[in-house]
Amino acid sequence: MRLFSNLLNKFKMASLPLRSGYLMIGLVFLVYVFGPYLAPFDFDQIRDDGTKFQTLAPPNAAHLFGTSNLGFDVLSRTILGFQPAVAVIVISVPLGVVIGSIAGVLAAFFRGWVDRILNFLADLLFVFPALVLSMVVSLGIYAGQTGFVSGVMAAAISTAIAFIPKYFRAVRVEASQVIGSGYVQISIASGVSSWRILAQQVLPNSIRVLPILISKNAADAVLVLAGLGFLGLGITPDTGAEWGYDLSLAVGDLLVGAWWTAFFPSLALLLLVLGFSLIAEWSAEDSLRRKRESL
Amino acid sequence: MTNKENFAVQELSLGIASRWLVEDVSFEIPMNQTVGLFGSSGSGKSSIARALANQLAPEIITRGILSAPERTSLVQQNPFLSFNPVICVGDQIAEVLVRGKGMEQKEASIQAVKLIGDLGLTEPAKRYKDFSLQFSGGELQRLAVAKALAFDPNLLILDEATSALDEANQNLVLDFVGRHQQQTGCAVILVSHSLELIKERCSYAVFLESGQVMEQGSVDTLLTIPKSERLQKLVSARQGFRKNTNSKLSSEQILSFEEITVFNPDQPRSELVSVSNFSLAKGESVGIVAPSGSGKSSLLKGLLGSYPAKLRNAKLTLRETVLTRVSQKAKQSFGYVLQDPRDSFDPRRIIGSSLAFAAKGIVAKGIIEKAIVEVLDDVGLDTSFATRLPSQLSGGQLQRASIARSLITKPEVLFLDEPTSALDQENEVLILDLLQSLREKYGLTILLISHSSFVTKAATDRVISL
């Protein structure tokens, strides 16, 4: 209950763009949870009661968003497309956050060669674009075998790798400030174990910047998943509903005037990415504004 | 110029929309004199200074008469704010000479070099081209004052301009102002929280308390026969501060070493400070006094393991065991108090939690709560403070809490790094008093670092100069 009122309070204080971001992600969450019950058909269903769906049918009473070239129900695939999208976020974000921030805190605390090595590794990872990396992961780990798990994992791991240096940098800077502050110096001087100092004083005070990066990470993870699908290296239509794959097919549909196969998956993708981007950009903006006002 | 006229403040009030911050303040500023504005932090002295310099924030409401001269200069505490960091310092002073005195650019540059030389800086022609970050705080504050005076003001306001400086630099700055005052006869307002400074440098003083004038008069009468209770207390505390000399000084050494060299943690080969033949007897209180930048804080950091350091022939006798290096275990018998109490507490934790964090693993688990109540009581804070956040305490209270934390592990040696420098004088005296009584009660050995000879005199038996 307290958590709920805290969230409500946060929502009330937010600016309009940030509020819309929260609303969009709230909607995404609801569709994710209730999607399997909401979707009228399964993601790979092409016939109902023995009759085959008409292919490329425009929106109608039986298929509110129409059907695709392969005869899939677009509404069902749009709704069920939230499943892999959220899964990729749920795997990618914790992976990046945990590795990146622990490395950041260690680099700031031990300095010297630990710092130099970790910085070097971060620089190394920094040069990889997430999408290219995801193709490498997909081919390298899963041998180009495409499916639900391999698609999600390839997108999640590669986005996490692309974001580790960002988490690392942000946390390292904050942590070196925190370590320089009096209370940590006092703990060091009075013989408190390094492990306790790092876990209980440095880390909790160094992760203020993470929410912004997490939102960016989430948006990117979904885009990489869609990109991978678009290139045909992600989730195949028989293993799961995925917008990127549907969009790659929809390009051809547009030429014959079938807008619905491209429009609805794009809208879902937009909702997710825009929601997280709004939260990322405007939570930074809002906290800056509050700082200015309090001065 | 209206040279023989006196300036004055009459019934000046300053406020924000909801309340007055300064109310009905009146005083005169005679030419060729130095007027002191003093009081503890939050008394409104800086707001008055800003009003006189016409530098108030736009939302401040003013009432009353301010007959300040047109040519007024204000110098603030942080000298780095007085200079543009991307233009060399000499050019900035020359610019003031051009605008203020109508000099030619060339003449102004020559004059600026001369001025820099007059301030006691070596190689003035070379320093002319330096940027503000290449100067020390003391040097730059002298330059800031020189820049303010280059404008030839009728009134110079020094708003805590010397309180971040050590005593030597403070005197250099104020002597320079004094010489200028004798030459030009300008008026000076000295805003400070330091009683000693007011006494030494001013002829007339105004004592402020929460935005109101408590009393004013010539410095001699004000500080010898103060009328208000608050000032009486402050004056007697500062002048009559007597320490009880330690009777039972044992000959047993608690900490000694032949030499310590402390290195810069970012450049492991560059030496910060080196001290040889140091010893600390059990129950002794030793002060290290040195100007800023001499590496006295680094010395402590090296000794306590925050900075890399090399110790030669060290011997520690802690809790009846003899050690040859400052081990993790040894550090558990140390207490450490820093200058800035705001920086000394994790902002996310309530005071009690910070104390418990320090006690964990050293004080037995079952009695931590009892220990917290006890040490808080020892430093004069009641139990309710344990549940407050650091932001809900005043600076003085927070410094007490910091001392309480250092005591919770029942340390043998207490290291104090400028423990009162961030506090106003009333709190400084209270903290020094507290240290006296705690030293007896806990049987502490104390190593105190300060740039103020008042503090070391009041709190230590023996002083080492670096």
Side-chain angles (χ1 to χ4, degrees):
Chain A
M1 217 49 225
R2 220 177 106 207
L3 181 79
F4 183 74
S5 73
N6 273 351
L7 282 177
L8 197 70
N9 229 346
K10 209 170 169 191
F11 185 76
K12 276 185 196 155
M13 302 237 305
S15 60
L16 188 66
L18 187 54
R19 267 189 213 184
S20 356
Y22 285 144
L23 280 181
M24 286 181 199
I25 298 310
L27 185 64
V28 166
F29 183 72
L30 289 178
V31 177
Y32 170 73
V33 172
F34 298 107
Y37 311 103
L38 286 174
F41 303 105
D42 215 354
F43 62 87
D44 57 351
Q45 202 172 344
I46 50 170
R47 54 167 63 84
D48 197 27
D49 299 334
T51 48
K52 249 183 153 185
F53 298 154
Q54 195 194 342
T55 58
L56 222 54
N60 57 50
H63 304 284
L64 288 175
F65 288 2
T67 57
S68 76
N69 208 353
L70 298 173
F72 296 134
D73 178 51
V74 176
L75 173 64
S76 301
R77 281 189 68 87
T78 303
I79 290 176
L80 292 171
F82 282 99
Q83 303 293 324
V86 173
V88 81
I89 293 171
V90 169
I91 296 169
S92 161
V93 168
L95 202 64
V97 167
V98 170
I99 297 176
S101 37
I102 288 179
V105 166
L106 291 178
F109 189 75
F110 291 106
R111 314 218 263 203
W113 61 267
V114 177
D115 190 23
R116 277 199 291 278
I117 288 176
L118 287 172
N119 257 311
F120 175 74
L121 292 176
D123 285 345
L124 221 58
L125 293 182
F126 217 57
V127 299
F128 288 113
L131 185 58
V132 176
L133 201 62
S134 70
M135 291 158 63
V136 174
V137 172
S138 165
L139 293 170
I141 300 181
Y142 298 100
Q145 217 181 14
T146 49
F148 187 87
V149 176
S150 65
V152 167
M153 289 309 284
I157 292 173
S158 56
T159 335
I161 290 176
F163 269 84
I164 283 173
K166 296 183 188 173
Y167 290 122
F168 170 77
R169 293 258 161 87
V171 171
R172 182 178 162 273
V173 169
E174 285 278 313
S176 17
Q177 234 171 46
V178 173
I179 287 166
S181 66
Y183 57 92
V184 175
Q185 292 300 319
I186 288 173
S187 296
I188 294 174
S190 350
V192 179
S193 74
S194 306
W195 192 86
R196 271 185 70 218
I197 294 174
L198 289 180
Q200 296 184 25
Q201 287 191 317
V202 180
L203 192 61
N205 281 299
S206 310
I207 53 176
R208 262 185 329 167
V209 285
L210 288 191
I212 295 166
L213 276 174
I214 287 173
S215 302
K216 283 197 161 134
N217 185 350
D220 263 26
V222 175
L223 281 179
V224 168
L225 178 73
L228 210 56
F230 194 87
L231 294 171
L233 290 169
I235 300 165
T236 46
D238 54 325
T239 53
E242 201 273 311
W243 306 320
Y245 177 84
D246 292 356
L247 285 172
S248 71
L249 293 185
V251 175
D253 300 342
L254 283 175
L255 297 176
V256 295
W259 53 271
W260 54 92
T261 52
F263 181 75
F264 295 108
S266 306
L267 203 64
L269 192 60
L270 184 72
L271 180 75
L272 230 173
V273 176
L274 186 65
F276 278 118
S277 302
L278 281 174
I279 292 176
E281 294 297 327
W282 283 87
S283 54
E285 190 76 18
D286 269 24
S287 68
L288 256 180
R289 196 192 61 200
R290 266 200 296 279
K291 219 180 212 168
R292 269 200 299 271
E293 276 167 8
S294 70
L295 277 181
Chain B
M1 263 194 257
T2 51
N3 226 344
K4 293 288 158 241
E5 200 180 308
N6 287 352
F7 307 115
V9 173
Q10 278 167 36
E11 294 183 4
L12 174 73
S13 297
L14 304 168
I16 48 174
S18 51
R19 67 197 169 92
W20 293 108
L21 303 171
V22 168
E23 269 192 288
D24 293 332
V25 170
S26 309
F27 59 91
E28 287 206 342
I29 311 158
M31 292 308 294
N32 209 2
Q33 300 264 332
T34 303
V35 174
L37 279 183
F38 74 116
S40 47
S41 26
S43 58
K45 49 193 195 303
S46 283
S47 305
I48 297 172
R50 278 206 206 107
L52 279 165
N54 204 6
Q55 286 189 12
L56 279 174
E59 66 268 20
I60 303 267
I61 306 158
T62 338
R63 193 182 66 192
I65 305 161
L66 257 176
S67 66
E70 255 171 57
R71 293 162 93 91
T72 300
S73 286
L74 174 71
V75 179
Q76 288 179 315
Q77 180 168 0
N78 184 352
F80 291 95
L81 297 178
S82 300
F83 287 93
N84 182 338
V86 297
I87 300 175
C88 73
V89 162
D91 277 348
Q92 294 185 55
I93 295 175
E95 190 193 341
V96 177
L97 287 169
V98 170
R99 296 194 178 199
K101 290 188 176 166
M103 283 186 191
E104 291 292 312
Q105 182 65 45
K106 229 181 185 159
E107 194 193 346
S109 301
I110 296 166
Q111 187 65 31
V113 172
K114 197 176 151 281
L115 212 62
I116 294 172
D118 285 347
L119 293 172
L121 300 180
T122 50
E123 294 187 80
K126 213 174 128 214
R127 300 308 304 262
Y128 180 98
K129 292 211 170 63
D130 278 351
F131 295 94
S132 57
L133 292 170
Q134 290 168 283
F135 292 90
S136 76
E139 289 171 343
L140 201 63
Q141 192 62 288
R142 270 182 275 163
L143 287 164
V145 170
K147 187 173 127 186
L149 291 176
F151 177 58
D152 218 355
N154 304 111
L155 174 62
L156 174 71
I157 304 167
L158 301 172
D159 185 1
E160 299 276 13
T162 60
S163 48
L165 306 180
D166 56 61
E167 276 163 33
N169 270 310
Q170 178 175 308
N171 286 333
L172 280 170
V173 170
L174 293 175
D175 288 346
F176 179 73
V177 171
R179 280 202 302 279
H180 184 88
Q181 193 176 20
Q182 272 176 4
Q183 283 164 17
T184 61
C186 68
V188 175
I189 291 184
L190 193 64
V191 179
S192 177
H193 68 269
S194 160
L195 211 63
E196 282 78 26
L197 199 64
I198 298 288
K199 196 172 163 190
E200 210 177 308
R201 299 283 173 175
C202 302
S203 48
Y204 190 87
V206 181
F207 179 57
L208 291 158
E209 169 81 36
S210 43
Q212 281 167 337
V213 176
M214 293 306 278
E215 53 183 311
Q216 56 178 309
S218 78
V219 166
D220 294 334
T221 48
L222 197 66
L223 297 186
T224 37
I225 15 173
K227 281 191 241 60
S228 66
E229 199 186 328
R230 185 110 183 202
L231 188 56
Q232 271 168 13
K233 242 171 142 178
L234 187 60
V235 169
S236 64
R238 294 298 288 187
Q239 287 167 351
F241 199 88
R242 287 276 165 273
K243 60 162 183 259
N244 30 355
T245 39
N246 202 338
S247 43
K248 41 183 197 303
L249 198 65
S250 82
S251 57
E252 192 191 335
Q253 301 287 322
I254 199 163
L255 165 69
S256 68
F257 53 78
E258 225 166 72
E259 190 176 29
I260 185 172
T261 315
V262 184
F263 301 94
N264 187 335
D266 293 319
Q267 296 158 293
R269 247 161 246 139
S270 85
E271 230 177 77
L272 288 173
V273 64
S274 173
V275 174
S276 45
N277 292 327
F278 177 86
S279 71
L280 199 57
K282 199 172 168 60
E284 193 181 23
S285 175
V286 171
I288 296 180
V289 69
S292 39
S294 58
K296 53 192 188 317
S297 289
S298 309
L299 176 69
L300 260 198
K301 287 205 169 111
L303 196 59
L304 298 175
S306 299
Y307 281 8
K310 226 190 262 159
L311 260 173
R312 208 148 53 93
N313 271 347
K315 199 179 141 209
L316 288 99
T317 316
L318 295 164
R319 309 215 157 122
E320 266 103 55
T321 45
V322 181
L323 299 161
T324 52
R325 62 184 194 92
V326 185
S327 63
Q328 198 78 355
K329 193 89 193 143
K331 286 192 210 162
Q332 297 187 350
S333 339
F334 291 163
Y336 191 25
V337 178
L338 292 177
Q339 172 173 2
D340 183 2
R342 291 265 163 245
D343 188 49
S344 302
F345 281 92
D346 185 340
R348 290 168 45 258
R349 281 173 190 267
I350 55 172
I351 301 298
S353 156
S354 276
L355 262 61
F357 180 84
K360 201 180 166 199
I362 302 173
V363 180
K365 220 175 184 175
I367 58 165
I368 285 185
E369 249 175 72
K370 207 174 125 241
I372 291 174
V373 174
E374 222 169 274
V375 283
L376 282 179
D377 185 54
D378 280 344
V379 298
L381 298 175
D382 66 64
T383 324
S384 70
F385 282 96
T387 54
R388 293 205 212 165
L389 283 169
S391 56
Q392 294 166 318
L393 269 67
S394 74
Q397 289 168 337
L398 209 51
Q399 193 64 308
R400 282 161 187 276
S402 184
I403 293 173
R405 173 182 45 196
S406 75
L407 292 176
I408 197 163
T409 54
K410 297 260 163 14
E412 292 202 46
V413 192
L414 194 58
F415 295 96
L416 303 157
D417 188 354
E418 304 266 11
T420 60
S421 304
L423 307 176
D424 60 38
Q425 288 199 319
E426 269 179 289
N427 273 309
E428 175 168 274
V429 172
L430 291 173
I431 292 282
L432 290 175
D433 246 344
L434 177 69
L435 284 175
Q436 295 267 7
S437 60
L438 290 174
R439 184 182 162 195
E440 230 159 272
K441 178 162 181 196
Y442 283 80
L444 291 166
T445 307
I446 291 177
L447 182 62
L448 182 141
I449 282 178
S450 181
H451 68 265
S452 150
S453 46
F454 173 79
V455 173
T456 44
K457 240 184 260 162
T460 62
D461 309 324
R462 175 161 74 89
V463 174
I464 301 169
S465 300
L466 278 193

